[in-house]
Structures are given as structure tokens and as C-alpha cells.
């Protein structure tokens, strides 16, 4: 299992972002547009990303403490077919707990995923083939 904790902690790589929809009041939206128009931000998304990063920085200690307490992996957790075969061979079922991106390789079969993975908890994004996602659906929290 490979981990790339620093890459996603500091900045998302191109193509590894997720869309998030935010509903805001018309007055707040108008103020956002005013700041964009005045050149403080290049667009609405730029302002939202900046505000989000500022809030995450403000609460960084709480995030770090929670990650440590809950033994979460921060960043990218990639599971290859070999990783899962090794888990099955050792008789150890995985508890996937990730803050960031958990990815299961495309060549992993639903049967292998079921045999190797006990549970999946992802705060962020979970990427797996549709068949593997269906197979694990009762184990994703």
C-alpha cells in the first residue's frame, strides 16, 4: 500500500479534485462577486478555495489530533491488486480509513475486494471500479 501524504496535504494534484456545491445567500453572493470584480480574487471558486484553506489552517490542530486518534491516513491511499492479494494471503482484512483519496486499482475484482477489505471510511473521495464499489457498498461508511 503506497501513501503519498504530503501531496494531498498541501495541494491537490491536477485531476484529483472533487466538485462541491455550496448554497449561499444572495447578499453573500453579491459580496463575493464584488470582491471578484475588484480583483481580490480571479473568480468565485478562487475565493471559496481561499476561504476553505484559511478555515482548514485555523482548525489544523484539531484535524491532526483527530487523525491521530482515529488512526486515519491523510493523503492518497492506493490499493493495488498485489496489496489486496497480500492481505488475503496473510489472513488480514483491511480497514480503510482515509482523509483525502482512497483508490482501488482497476484490475481488482469484486471478489478480491470483498475478501481483503473489511470496511471503508473515506472523508474525501473514494475511487474504485463500479463493480468493486457495488461489492463493497455495505462496507462503506
Amino acid at each position: 500500500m503506497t501513501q503519498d501524504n504530503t501531496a494531498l496535504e498541501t495541494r491537490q494534484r491536477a485531476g484529483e479534485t472533487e466538485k462541491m456545491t455550496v448554497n449561499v445567500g444572495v447578499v453573500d453572493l453579491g459580496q463575493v462577486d464584488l470582491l471578484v470584480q475588484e480583483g481580490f480574487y480571479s473568480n468565485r471558486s478562487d475565493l471559496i478555495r481561499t476561504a476553505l484553506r484559511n478555515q482548514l489552517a485555523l482548525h489544523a490542530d484539531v484535524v491532526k489530533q483527530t487523525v491521530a486518534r482515529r488512526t486515519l491516513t491523510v493523503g492518497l491511499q492506493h490499493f493495488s491488486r498485489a496489496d489486496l492479494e497480500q492481505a488475503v494471503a496473510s489472513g488480514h482484512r483491511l480497514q480503510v480509513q482515509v482523509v483525502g483519496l482512497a483508490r482501488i486499482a482497476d484490475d481488482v475484482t469484486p471478489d478480491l475486494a470483498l475478501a481483503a477489505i473489511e470496511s471503508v471510511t473515506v472523508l474525501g473521495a473514494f475511487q474504485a471500479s463500479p463493480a468493486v464499489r457495488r461489492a463493497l457498498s455495505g462496507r462503506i461508511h
Side-chain angles (χ1 to χ4, degrees):
M1 290 164 266
T2 59
Q3 293 183 19
D4 185 6
N5 291 342
T6 56
L8 287 178
E9 282 182 84
T10 56
R11 192 171 288 256
Q12 293 285 332
R13 286 188 232 148
E16 290 185 356
T17 61
E18 292 288 323
K19 182 178 249 182
M20 184 171 74
T21 302
V22 179
N23 295 321
V24 298
V26 293
V27 173
D28 291 339
L29 182 60
Q31 291 178 33
V32 167
D33 287 344
L34 180 65
L35 290 172
V36 169
Q37 191 178 60
E38 291 297 310
F40 289 94
Y41 300 95
S42 59
N43 54 44
R44 291 174 175 176
S45 293
D46 183 30
L47 181 144
I48 298 298
R49 281 190 297 272
T50 301
L52 181 62
R53 286 186 193 115
N54 289 341
Q55 286 300 303
L56 291 173
L58 180 67
H59 298 290
D61 288 340
V62 172
V63 170
K64 286 178 185 175
Q65 291 169 6
T66 303
V67 164
R69 180 175 43 85
R70 292 178 53 185
T71 60
L72 300 166
T73 298
V74 176
L76 168 64
Q77 180 89 54
H78 177 79
F79 295 93
S80 68
R81 182 181 186 132
D83 293 332
L84 298 186
E85 288 171 344
Q86 182 180 6
V88 171
S90 70
H92 177 71
R93 295 185 69 204
L94 303 173
Q95 294 181 351
V96 178
Q97 298 185 92
V98 177
V99 175
L101 173 63
R103 180 186 299 147
I104 298 177
D106 290 337
D107 63 346
V108 171
T109 65
D111 289 339
L112 177 57
L114 282 171
I117 298 173
E118 182 175 318
S119 64
V120 178
T121 303
V122 177
L123 302 169
F126 177 54
Q127 295 177 350
S129 71
V132 167
R133 287 181 75 85
R134 278 192 302 277
L136 294 174
S137 65
R139 300 177 185 183
I140 298 172
H141 309 289

